[in-house]
Amino acid sequence: MPVLTVGGRRAAYLDAGSGRALMLVHGAGGRGAVWGPQVAGLSDVAHVLAPDLPGHGGSDGPGCTRVAEYAEWLLGFVDAAGLGRVTLGGHSMGGAIAQAVALAHPDRIDGLVLVGTGARLRVLPRILELFRKGSPEAASLVASLSYSPRTEPGRVVEAEHALRETPPLVTLGDFLACDRFDVMAEVKAVRAPTLVVVGRDDVLTPPKYAAFLASAIRGARLAEVDAAGHFPQLEQPAGVNDAIRAFLASLREG
Ligand code: COA
């Protein structure tokens, strides 16, 4: 995995393709690899980068406990990579980070891809409690809520492993960041062209959250994905890649 230095610390990332930059940000307790099918499958139409957030995967810690802190780190990563404006995608907490960047630094992005996320991300108290205790049940509970009942278990193994490999206190910080995140009132100010993607079987960030984003953000497109839960990009990679590919093409026409 290539590495950059962000804020004096090592930042690892997946990187493929060339041309216009598509930056993909993972969610709580994850790593860039949750975008594996997009890094591989969209590299013919974009320069796809998927960093490990600080404290996750191959990136040095500490992690953060606020979405705005991750958003600043991400802009540091974009600068360190020598990129100008990027198309910014995010999954779950990564989608919150993408919204934060779009609201605070609209000049840094030319498009927004929001996958399995929402403008407000309250977290089940039981999830916070188990991560606080460092209980092994924490990852099992989140994993049990993460996928469509129709998803073949083999396809999600990578994401489950990533959750178990992240230190529980880092994942706790992520879920606290989610729990504090609320831009329901502000998100209508987003002006970037936006694609919202949600799995129809998502119980962690249900389709209602995606419908809200798509109605609040002017001109946003909504892609609802069958037979997918909270990880549509892993559960139905071909359909999600088609939706992102069409969205990227529309940005180039615009
Ligand atoms: N978009 C649109 N509507 C939203 C929303 C979003 N991002 N977030 C909350 N709402 C709505 C809820 O649907 C609810 O509407 P209702 O009153 O019509 O039922 C209302 O706003 C209040 O919901 P919420 O803020 O979530 O508080 P709550 O006390 O009702 O529920 C939880 C708290 C934790 C039980 C609930 O948020 C939940 O089940 N979350 C999903 C599970 C989870 O932990 N996800 C992890 C996200 S990282």
Side-chain angles (χ1 to χ4, degrees):
M1 251 179 134
V3 291
L4 289 171
T5 302
V6 179
R9 297 193 174 88
R10 183 187 141 94
Y13 61 106
L14 298 176
D15 182 292
S18 60
R20 203 157 165 166
L22 172 65
M23 174 83 61
L24 298 172
V25 187
H26 66 77
R31 60 199 304 175
V34 301
W35 292 107
Q38 287 66 50
V39 175
L42 296 170
S43 61
D44 58 330
V45 290
H47 176 195
V48 193
L49 302 98
D52 292 343
L53 289 169
H56 302 70
S59 293
D60 290 343
C64 303
T65 57
R66 295 201 177 265
V67 165
E69 294 166 4
Y70 279 129
E72 291 306 317
W73 182 91
L74 191 70
L75 290 173
F77 181 94
V78 172
D79 289 340
L83 302 170
R85 273 150 67 100
V86 300
T87 307
L88 185 55
H91 171 243
S92 198
M93 179 184 75
I97 296 166
Q99 291 170 71
V101 170
L103 287 168
H105 303 278
D107 52 312
R108 304 298 301 271
I109 62 164
D110 61 15
L112 203 52
V113 180
L114 302 175
V115 180
T117 192
R120 174 176 164 103
L121 293 175
R122 286 287 178 274
V123 176
L124 288 168
R126 178 81 178 141
I127 292 178
L128 297 174
E129 183 194 328
L130 289 172
F131 277 105
R132 235 179 225 120
K133 285 188 194 159
S135 164
E137 272 179 63
S140 312
L141 173 60
V142 173
S144 73
L145 297 171
S146 290
Y147 308 106
S148 166
R150 288 193 275 167
T151 293
E152 174 238 323
R155 184 153 299 169
V156 299
V157 164
E158 194 178 358
E160 289 191 27
H161 281 183
L163 190 56
R164 291 184 199 286
E165 284 167 14
T166 305
L169 284 179
V170 172
T171 305
L172 172 63
D174 291 351
F175 278 118
L176 289 173
C178 290
D179 201 48
R180 291 167 172 151
F181 180 73
D182 184 352
V183 294
M184 297 280 285
E186 294 89 351
V187 77
K188 61 180 181 297
V190 169
R191 288 291 170 265
T194 298
L195 170 68
V196 181
V197 180
V198 66
R200 285 206 163 98
D201 300 333
D202 189 342
V203 294
L204 286 175
T205 53
K208 177 181 180 179
Y209 292 11
F212 177 85
L213 287 170
S215 67
I217 301 175
R218 195 169 64 193
R221 301 178 181 197
L222 176 60
E224 292 186 288
V225 185
D226 277 331
H230 189 53
F231 284 88
Q233 77 275 32
L234 289 172
E235 297 174 86
Q236 298 296 338
V240 171
N241 283 3
D242 285 349
I244 297 176
R245 190 181 284 270
F247 176 68
L248 294 176
S250 75
L251 293 182
R252 283 176 190 139
E253 285 156 14

